[in-house]
Amino acid sequence: MKLVYYILFFVIFGSRYFFVICQNVPSPRCQQTSTLVSTRLYFFGGNTGIIVSNEVWYLDLSSSFNISTPPWHSDVVMPVGYNFGTSCLSPIDNSTVFLIGGRTWIVNTHNFSYTSSVYKFDSKVSQWTTPTINNFNSSFETRQEMQSVIDNNGKIFVFGRANYNSSTTFCYNDMNILDITIMTWSTPTQSQSVLTYLDYTATLLPNGLIVYIGGRSGSSTSTSPNNMSQIQVFDTKSYTWSIKPASGSTIASRECHSAVLTQDENIIIYGGSLYDSSGSIAYALSDIAVLNTNSWAWSVPSVSGTGAPPLTQHSAVLYKNYMILAFGATSATNLYTNNIYILDILNYTWVTTFNIPTTTSNDNSSTDQAINDSSNLYVGIGIGAGIIILAIVLFIIGFFFLQNSA
Ligand SMILES: *[C@@H]1O[C@H](CO)[C@@H](O)[C@H](O)[C@H]1NC(C)=O
Ligand SMILES: *[C@@H]1O[C@H](CO)[C@@H](O)[C@H](O)[C@H]1NC(C)=O
Ligand SMILES: *[C@@H]1O[C@H](CO)[C@@H](O)[C@H](O)[C@H]1NC(C)=O
């Protein structure tokens, strides 16, 4: 009988309804990687300053919310602690996320695990696996501080960066390609001279060009920040490199900033930082700049609303007309945040409310969706509260039962 009681107890308290009420909030962190899967904005790992996390969190973007109470949900944890990596969503099933490179840590320790350079997350069933990759380039192992992009055919492109498994970090300038449809790796030889790059952002344009912005380049002994007006670009159709000289506003060099691509092919960047000679953050930036990829000109929009603080080693995605920034270090003193900040890119206004964007047509479905979602939430809370009360009652009954039977 005691056993039945304990089983009941764990089934009820372990049930998902319990977490509807006891919804957690992720601790402040930076160096996470982020991927949008439909209306879920996922965050993988990150450095909390105490531990490198193996947590997976997502923001539910299916309903409106105030940024002071973001709709956080935790998902199944990763097999490793994870930071300074990169992630891509499969365009084949729109639900599988690939984690590429990055620093991997033995869970809840301060020891690197130097394990697989690719992990696969099936967001439909919340499951992590380590895929088998044909022809893997072992020199890619333990690379970190880079960004990948994925094209519509399922080819992941990940450029350059350095290893973290030796005291001398070797910087790379090679392009590595993982074709997820056949799980095959390739590192094409490059006939052109290309700078080594790290801590940049990578943005894939619809015409197949990958635009590499900011970051640092150099050798293992000395690296310097990249010039923001000399932009390295890779053509995923011809596998060739070119430099695009960018005109317009002068934008300060930076690393570990964020970048998103708008519908009209502007790249909006936010924040980032510069490092001192010891490799620590010297200062963090809080500016927005826009690169027009048709004219290759930088501009600085005038922005209204209460802006985000300086942020570096954060992440950003574009969802409809919202650029959503999350987590990051806010200063040179490594103060980390768990806040999110939202920029409405239609008029460059910082907003405190995430509104389900309504379409301009006479289609009422998105409004209906919002109403359904909020009523579902109330139903959820109702069921959750009911089950918790039931659990407490059962607990008390069980307690007296055990007392009497003892
Ligand atoms: C969002 O929440 C904050 C803090 O509770 C509040 O001050 C602010 O007015 C809210 N914003 C909106 C648009 O409701
Ligand atoms: C910006 O646009 C949003 C709609 O996208 C609107 O609600 C808001 O009032 C605008 N803000 C300013 C400052 O114009
Ligand atoms: C949308 O809602 C309005 C008022 O609620 C209604 O008059 C209109 O017919 C609806 N449009 C469609 C396309 O359902």
Side-chain angles (χ1 to χ4, degrees), residues 125-191:
V125 293
S126 295
Q127 190 182 52
W128 286 95
T129 48
T130 306
T132 306
I133 298 168
N134 309 309
N135 211 15
F136 183 66
N137 173 355
S138 60
S139 86
F140 186 83
E141 240 155 40
T142 73
R143 290 216 209 162
Q144 39 123 39
E145 292 175 60
M146 69 282 203
Q147 273 195 3
S148 56
V149 297
I150 190 163
D151 71 8
N152 292 333
N153 302 318
K155 277 191 181 147
I156 295 173
F157 294 83
V158 51
F159 171 51
R161 190 35 201 161
N163 306 112
Y164 65 92
N165 59 346
S166 67
S167 48
T168 51
T169 47
F170 188 78
C171 297
Y172 292 89
N173 67 349
D174 54 355
M175 180 61 80
N176 283 277
I177 302 165
L178 172 63
D179 184 335
I180 63 160
T181 60
I182 48 173
M183 288 311 283
T184 298
W185 195 274
S186 59
T187 312
T189 28
Q190 296 182 144
S191 49

Side-chain angles (χ1 to χ4, degrees), residues 65-69 351-355:
F65 62 88
N66 181 327
I67 61 164
S68 65
T69 51
V351 296
T352 55
T353 313
F354 172 90
N355 277 318

